[in-house]
Amino acid sequence: MVNPRTWAVAQVADVTKVTPNARVLGIDVPGWPGNLPGQHVDVRLTAEDGYQAVRSYSLGTSGQGERIELAVDAHPEGEVSPYLVHDAQPGDHVEILGPLGGYFVWRDEDASAVQLIAGGSGIVPLRAIARARAAAGTGQPFRLLYSVKSPEDAIYRDDLMMLGEQGIDLTWAFTQHAPAGWPGVVGRLNAETIAAAVFPATDSPTVYVCGPTAFVEVVSRRLVELGHDPARIKTERFGGG
């Protein structure tokens, strides 16, 4: 079984382009011990000259099985994400360290209402959490607020459209371009749009916020201003990869 403290050789099994700038990759990790929804891994690439680059990526799936899923948005100045998005092919090898993280996770025995708030590729661990909630069938109230540039930039777009059938409320927020006939406001999340979409503070939800650092900081501050307990706001942020 994989030791989460040592690097494991893994093989790319399949790649699917999901937006103009993002791919979902299935990666086989022999001996993978399984992971909790919300955990992440480190991915290491080694060049022919021995140079190594390491970046962290959230897992899009959880549970048992030796195949993990990463959904990666290419960062133009990144060292790992451009390879995963533009170059990696089935059969290629990478190194994986994990599963990592025990804070930004959801466990189905937690009966609390859950509010998920994602910005861009921050949807990845939150979709894993939503998938786990749907699979568990435990019925906790769940809502997802997803802020993304446009419909075309939404990772897991088709998958997310089925959340209503799984008892999870979904609210879209488009920052640059909305679909034709969109009734909402186009622009960055503000206090009004957040308040209209999330559970009220009086429901004491557990809130998971994931996205770029600036997005996470703004959303977290707005939530506290709306009365949410900071201790119940879990955050995960990322930079370039």
Side-chain angles (χ1 to χ4, degrees), residues 72-236:
V72 181
D73 204 6
H75 190 278
E77 299 179 358
E79 293 187 304
V80 176
S81 62
Y83 167 78
L84 295 177
V85 173
H86 302 303
D87 300 319
Q89 297 298 324
D92 289 351
H93 290 90
V94 298
E95 291 180 281
I96 298 291
L97 182 69
L100 303 172
Y103 169 71
F104 197 80
V105 300
W106 178 76
R107 294 175 171 83
D108 58 18
E109 62 266 24
D110 183 353
S112 304
V114 171
Q115 177 68 58
L116 309 172
I117 305 177
S121 59
I123 190 63
V124 180
L126 303 189
R127 183 60 185 113
I129 292 173
R131 281 174 167 166
R133 153 66 172 74
T138 43
Q140 294 94 331
F142 258 60
R143 290 183 183 177
L144 168 61
L145 171 59
Y146 186 16
S147 175
V148 67
K149 291 179 181 178
S150 72
E152 294 75 25
D153 293 298
I155 298 173
Y156 294 129
R157 179 176 55 178
D158 294 341
D159 201 18
L160 294 173
M161 296 302 292
M162 297 187 293
L163 287 179
E165 301 173 11
Q166 301 165 359
I168 300 171
D169 295 331
L170 169 64
T171 299
W172 293 94
F174 299 106
T175 62
Q176 294 185 7
H177 171 69
W182 174 250
V185 175
V186 176
R188 297 185 182 277
L189 290 180
N190 56 35
E192 291 73 22
T193 54
I194 293 173
V198 306
F199 286 111
T202 51
D203 287 357
S204 298
T206 302
V207 186
Y208 296 80
V209 186
C210 186
T213 297
F215 172 88
V216 171
E217 291 177 351
V218 168
V219 170
S220 299
R221 184 168 64 250
R222 297 301 185 200
L223 288 168
V224 173
E225 291 170 354
L226 289 168
H228 288 266
D229 181 355
R232 298 188 66 82
I233 302 172
K234 298 176 181 287
T235 61
E236 187 96 332

Side-chain angles (χ1 to χ4, degrees), residues 26-115:
I27 299 178
D28 290 333
V29 189
W32 182 250
N35 63 277
L36 296 170
Q39 287 189 301
H40 64 278
V41 295
D42 284 349
V43 178
R44 183 166 72 182
L45 304 179
T46 303
E48 292 182 1
D49 63 2
Y51 177 77
Q52 294 182 322
V54 178
R55 292 294 184 273
S56 296
Y57 295 102
S58 296
L59 291 156
T61 51
S62 62
Q64 302 302 308
E66 294 190 335
R67 179 167 296 181
I68 63 174
E69 181 179 287
L70 305 180
V72 181
D73 204 6
H75 190 278
E77 299 179 358
E79 293 187 304
V80 176
S81 62
Y83 167 78
L84 295 177
V85 173
H86 302 303
D87 300 319
Q89 297 298 324
D92 289 351
H93 290 90
V94 298
E95 291 180 281
I96 298 291
L97 182 69
L100 303 172
Y103 169 71
F104 197 80
V105 300
W106 178 76
R107 294 175 171 83
D108 58 18
E109 62 266 24
D110 183 353
S112 304
V114 171
Q115 177 68 58

